[in-house]
Amino acid sequence: AERDADEQGKEYGGEGHICTYSNICECARQSTCADRVWPNQRRSGVCSGMRLTPLASLAVVLTLATAAGCSGPQYGNVIEQPSAAPPLVLATAEGGSFRLADEGNKVVLLYFGYTHCPDVCPTVLADWARARKMLGSEAEKVRFVFVSVDPSRDTPETTRAYAMQFDSSFVGLTGPEVSIDRIKRDWGFAAFPEGDTQAGDYGVAHPASTYVVDRKGRLRVLYHPGVSVEDLASDLRKLL
């Protein structure tokens, strides 16, 4: 996958500069509109050693293709040629079933975290709530979904309650380990406990990015923590 990203990147350097997986940060700094597309680059971890999955790495490289024109979403890692989002199906706390494929004609934001998360997860969900308010009546066209990747401690009920603390419209989901493992495989990310799992006091390594699926069901943008609420709301309006 890294080799594929390198090959894709060679098309997007411009001005004799070659953008590859290994130099995406330098390329971002030199690209046109980099100050608008990458305003939180240093804080988000893109250039501070954060490990990117092949999917996220490819998204970072493809962002550079859109930077020159600054059209469409401008503040996340935009996938230039989006394809259908991976499947996501989980039981809800109410006894029903959430299927990402059934969210047609809505923009869907997905975050994979856990309810005991001390920092990033609550910050992201709080920012979501503020962005949703900024959208006004258009917020009805956007679905905000939090998925716990800590099935040992989180249940559908506790995850739902956690998400709804931030906004009553937010969807909170989780499932048995086999279901979470399938989602991790389909979406191409890793998540695993860190610390003493026997004592129950442990952290969970999980993706830092918000995944955005557009109204056509395509994975379209990844946002790292640190994107401003105003920029997030602005980009969401462009996807509606």
Side-chain angles (χ1 to χ4, degrees):
E2 181 174 322
R3 182 173 61 254
D4 292 341
D6 280 347
E7 291 303 315
Q8 290 276 1
K10 290 178 182 178
E11 301 177 11
Y12 304 136
E15 301 295 327
H17 188 75
I18 302 301
C19 307
T20 68
Y21 175 84
S22 60
N23 72 348
I24 52 176
C25 296
E26 180 63 24
C27 189
R29 283 190 285 268
Q30 296 188 22
S31 295
T32 304
C33 302
D35 58 327
R36 297 175 65 185
V37 180
W38 299 78
N40 305 292
Q41 178 181 311
R42 293 186 181 275
R43 284 185 296 159
S44 70
V46 174
C47 296
S48 60
M50 179 180 289
R51 292 176 295 173
L52 299 179
T53 65
L55 178 63
S57 301
L58 180 58
V60 171
V61 174
L62 290 177
T63 301
L64 303 177
T66 62
C70 290
S71 60
Q74 295 177 8
Y75 301 101
N77 298 334
V78 183
I79 299 176
E80 169 81 355
Q81 298 178 343
S83 57
L88 191 149
V89 181
L90 286 169
T92 66
E94 298 85 356
S97 180
F98 176 90
R99 295 176 181 272
L100 179 60
D102 293 341
E103 295 296 309
N105 212 34
K106 286 183 182 290
V107 172
V108 181
L109 279 71
L110 288 163
Y111 192 81
F112 300 100
Y114 65 115
T115 68
H116 292 77
C117 180
D119 39 39
V120 181
C121 300
T123 299
V124 168
L125 268 65
D127 286 348
W128 280 9
R130 293 171 58 201
R132 187 178 189 279
K133 288 181 180 179
M134 293 183 67
L135 291 174
S137 61
E138 293 183 305
E140 298 303 317
K141 302 174 185 177
V142 182
R143 183 81 75 191
F144 297 83
V145 181
F146 175 81
V147 179
S148 171
V149 291
D150 184 17
S152 296
R153 290 181 297 188
D154 292 338
T155 66
E157 291 76 18
T158 59
T159 307
R160 174 179 181 270
Y162 176 80
M164 291 181 67
Q165 289 181 98
F166 298 89
D167 191 283
S168 61
S169 70
F170 285 5
V171 177
L173 303 167
T174 192
E177 187 172 355
V178 63
S179 297
I180 299 303
D181 285 346
R182 182 184 306 112
I183 290 171
K184 290 190 292 184
R185 182 177 63 251
D186 290 344
W187 286 77
F189 67 82
F192 48 87
E194 295 181 318
D196 186 359
T197 57
Q198 296 299 318
D201 183 19
Y202 59 88
V204 176
H206 61 90
S209 298
T210 291
Y211 296 71
V212 179
V213 179
D214 68 16
R215 299 176 74 179
K216 295 181 179 180
R218 304 173 302 178
L219 183 58
R220 187 72 180 276
V221 191
L222 282 78
Y223 292 101
H224 291 289
V227 63
S228 75
V229 173
E230 294 78 11
D231 292 347
L232 178 59
S234 174
D235 272 6
L236 290 177
R237 287 193 183 95
K238 294 176 181 178
L239 291 170
L240 296 175

XYZ file of all heavy atoms in Angstrom, residues 14-53:
305
model
N 3.900 18.866 -8.788
C 3.833 20.192 -9.381
C 5.129 20.956 -9.208
O 5.874 20.746 -8.259
N 5.438 21.819 -10.111
C 6.619 22.676 -10.031
C 7.882 21.858 -9.754
O 8.783 22.297 -9.054
C 6.438 23.722 -8.925
C 5.226 24.619 -9.114
C 5.373 25.493 -10.358
O 6.521 25.872 -10.676
O 4.356 25.784 -10.996
N 7.968 20.668 -10.300
C 9.149 19.839 -10.145
C 9.282 19.178 -8.793
O 10.272 18.524 -8.496
N 8.271 19.340 -7.922
C 8.341 18.756 -6.582
C 7.538 17.463 -6.572
O 6.381 17.435 -6.976
C 7.761 19.726 -5.553
C 7.980 19.276 -4.140
N 9.197 19.360 -3.515
C 7.132 18.720 -3.245
C 9.094 18.898 -2.291
N 7.853 18.497 -2.099
N 8.170 16.387 -6.116
C 7.508 15.094 -6.099
C 6.936 14.818 -4.715
O 7.639 14.871 -3.715
C 8.487 13.959 -6.476
C 9.071 14.239 -7.861
C 7.789 12.611 -6.461
C 8.047 14.341 -8.961
N 5.629 14.554 -4.664
C 4.967 14.243 -3.403
C 4.858 12.730 -3.264
O 4.242 12.082 -4.100
C 3.544 14.809 -3.364
S 3.462 16.564 -3.739
N 5.444 12.180 -2.232
C 5.340 10.750 -1.987
C 4.957 10.522 -0.540
O 4.901 11.446 0.267
C 6.674 10.026 -2.259
O 7.626 10.436 -1.270
C 7.201 10.330 -3.643
N 4.689 9.254 -0.204
C 4.341 8.903 1.168
C 5.403 9.394 2.141
O 5.105 9.862 3.229
C 4.191 7.380 1.267
C 3.943 6.870 2.661
C 2.658 6.845 3.188
C 4.999 6.419 3.451
C 2.425 6.376 4.459
C 4.767 5.951 4.729
C 3.489 5.923 5.238
O 3.262 5.460 6.492
N 6.648 9.300 1.736
C 7.733 9.615 2.654
C 7.967 11.103 2.844
O 8.609 11.509 3.798
C 9.039 8.956 2.178
O 9.375 9.436 0.893
N 7.456 11.948 1.941
C 7.711 13.378 2.101
C 6.431 14.197 2.029
O 6.441 15.343 1.639
C 8.705 13.873 1.043
C 8.095 13.932 -0.350
O 7.011 13.398 -0.583
N 8.782 14.565 -1.276
N 5.316 13.615 2.468
C 4.040 14.307 2.357
C 4.022 15.604 3.152
O 3.389 16.573 2.760
C 2.866 13.412 2.807
C 3.147 12.831 4.197
C 2.600 12.330 1.801
C 1.982 12.016 4.742
N 4.735 15.643 4.283
C 4.710 16.851 5.101
C 5.412 18.005 4.399
O 4.928 19.126 4.366
C 5.346 16.566 6.454
S 4.402 15.346 7.408
N 6.585 17.744 3.840
C 7.302 18.770 3.110
C 6.510 19.220 1.901
O 6.424 20.411 1.596
C 8.672 18.250 2.675
C 9.493 19.280 1.893
C 9.808 20.501 2.740
O 9.815 20.400 3.986
O 10.023 21.565 2.149
N 5.884 18.258 1.245
C 5.090 18.599 0.068
C 3.906 19.474 0.458
O 3.568 20.422 -0.218
C 4.595 17.314 -0.613
S 3.834 17.595 -2.216
N 3.276 19.154 1.587
C 2.136 19.942 2.051
C 2.544 21.383 2.304
O 1.819 22.318 1.985
C 1.558 19.329 3.321
N 3.713 21.563 2.861
C 4.167 22.916 3.165
C 4.420 23.726 1.902
O 4.282 24.937 1.879
C 5.439 22.852 4.013
C 5.194 22.505 5.473
C 6.454 22.687 6.296
N 7.404 21.619 6.074
C 7.451 20.516 6.806
N 6.573 20.338 7.773
N 8.346 19.583 6.572
N 4.787 23.043 0.804
C 5.127 23.754 -0.414
C 3.964 23.872 -1.392
O 4.043 24.584 -2.373
C 6.304 23.047 -1.098
C 7.579 23.072 -0.266
C 8.772 22.558 -1.025
O 8.768 22.551 -2.257
N 9.797 22.127 -0.318
N 2.879 23.139 -1.132
C 1.766 23.139 -2.074
C 0.970 24.431 -2.007
O 0.870 25.066 -0.964
C 0.817 21.968 -1.786
O 1.462 20.751 -2.018
N 0.383 24.794 -3.128
C -0.499 25.945 -3.175
C -1.657 25.729 -2.223
O -2.204 24.648 -2.147
C -1.055 26.126 -4.598
O 0.038 26.232 -5.495
C -1.931 27.361 -4.689
N -2.027 26.773 -1.484
C -3.131 26.725 -0.535
C -2.833 25.845 0.669
O -3.735 25.476 1.399
C -4.438 26.261 -1.182
S -4.964 27.288 -2.552
N -1.563 25.494 0.896
C -1.236 24.639 2.039
C -1.643 25.290 3.348
O -2.017 24.615 4.298
C 0.257 24.325 2.059
N -1.596 26.627 3.392
C -1.959 27.306 4.627
C -3.438 27.159 4.924
O -3.870 27.282 6.067
C -1.588 28.789 4.554
C -2.248 29.496 3.381
O -2.446 28.848 2.344
O -2.551 30.692 3.523
N -4.248 26.855 3.892
C -5.683 26.680 4.115
C -6.038 25.218 4.298
O -6.915 24.878 5.081
C -6.465 27.264 2.931
C -6.272 28.763 2.782
C -6.960 29.276 1.531
N -8.406 29.105 1.641
C -9.221 29.387 0.640
N -8.752 29.814 -0.508
N -10.514 29.226 0.777
N -5.357 24.360 3.571
C -5.686 22.944 3.648
C -5.068 22.290 4.878
O -5.612 21.367 5.446
C -5.205 22.217 2.379
C -5.537 20.730 2.431
C -5.857 22.843 1.147
N -3.908 22.800 5.321
C -3.173 22.169 6.414
C -2.967 23.137 7.587
O -1.880 23.243 8.118
C -1.808 21.702 5.912
C -1.867 20.709 4.819
C -2.116 20.947 3.501
C -1.672 19.301 4.920
N -2.089 19.786 2.780
C -1.812 18.764 3.630
C -1.379 18.449 5.988
C -1.676 17.413 3.371
C -1.243 17.111 5.727
C -1.403 16.596 4.444
N -3.991 23.854 8.036
C -3.759 24.861 9.064
C -3.324 24.265 10.394
O -2.683 24.926 11.192
C -5.121 25.548 9.192
C -6.102 24.505 8.767
C -5.403 23.752 7.665
N -3.665 23.005 10.662
C -3.341 22.391 11.948
C -2.371 21.234 11.780
O -2.340 20.301 12.560
C -4.625 21.878 12.608
C -5.653 22.969 12.747
O -5.472 23.893 13.514
N -6.721 22.875 11.975
N -1.565 21.316 10.727
C -0.699 20.191 10.367
C 0.192 19.750 11.523
O 0.265 18.575 11.854
C 0.169 20.605 9.192
C 1.166 19.540 8.735
C 1.977 20.075 7.593
O 1.421 20.607 6.643
N 3.271 19.955 7.671
N 0.843 20.691 12.172
C 1.779 20.314 13.228
C 1.035 19.773 14.445
O 1.421 18.781 15.044
C 2.638 21.515 13.623
C 3.585 21.952 12.516
C 4.510 23.049 13.003
N 5.386 23.491 11.951
C 6.529 22.903 11.640
N 6.892 21.825 12.292
N 7.280 23.376 10.669
N -0.062 20.435 14.814
C -0.775 19.990 15.997
C -1.464 18.648 15.785
O -1.611 17.865 16.708
C -1.842 21.021 16.391
C -1.275 22.236 17.067
C -2.384 23.132 17.522
N -3.153 23.649 16.396
C -4.377 24.121 16.498
N -4.988 24.122 17.650
N -5.008 24.584 15.447
N -1.909 18.371 14.569
C -2.700 17.173 14.323
C -1.880 15.906 14.359
O -2.422 14.820 14.449
C -3.390 17.273 12.954
O -2.427 17.180 11.922
N -0.570 16.004 14.268
C 0.262 14.814 14.321
C 0.687 14.320 12.957
O 1.418 13.347 12.863
N 0.244 14.968 11.887
C 0.615 14.512 10.554
C 2.124 14.516 10.388
O 2.699 13.648 9.753
C -0.041 15.404 9.479
C 0.461 15.040 8.099
C -1.550 15.254 9.533
N 2.799 15.496 11.007
C 4.251 15.604 10.868
C 4.979 15.383 12.185
O 6.101 15.804 12.344
C 4.607 16.975 10.309
S 3.968 17.242 8.663
N 4.334 14.739 13.131
C 4.984 14.534 14.422
C 5.117 13.064 14.770
O 5.070 12.674 15.915
C 4.195 15.244 15.520
O 2.871 14.737 15.589
N 5.221 12.223 13.744
C 5.497 10.828 14.010
C 4.276 9.962 14.152
O 4.371 8.781 14.465
N 3.070 10.516 13.970
C 1.878 9.692 14.079
C 1.892 8.612 13.010
O 2.175 8.881 11.852
C 0.618 10.551 13.903
C -0.684 9.761 13.975
S -2.111 10.836 13.766
C -2.090 11.719 15.308
N 1.585 7.384 13.390
C 1.548 6.293 12.435
C 0.250 6.354 11.646
O -0.835 6.380 12.218
C 1.635 4.950 13.170
C 2.992 4.696 13.825
C 2.961 3.415 14.595
N 2.029 3.511 15.707
C 1.691 2.481 16.479
N 2.188 1.288 16.245
N 0.840 2.639 17.474
N 0.353 6.406 10.331
C -0.822 6.448 9.473
C -1.051 5.082 8.861
O -0.124 4.417 8.433
C -0.633 7.478 8.346
C -0.426 8.925 8.779
C -0.220 9.799 7.542
C -1.592 9.424 9.591
N -2.318 4.651 8.823
C -2.638 3.423 8.133
C -2.507 3.665 6.642
O -2.486 4.818 6.186
C -4.089 2.995 8.434
O -4.966 3.985 7.877
C -4.327 2.875 9.928
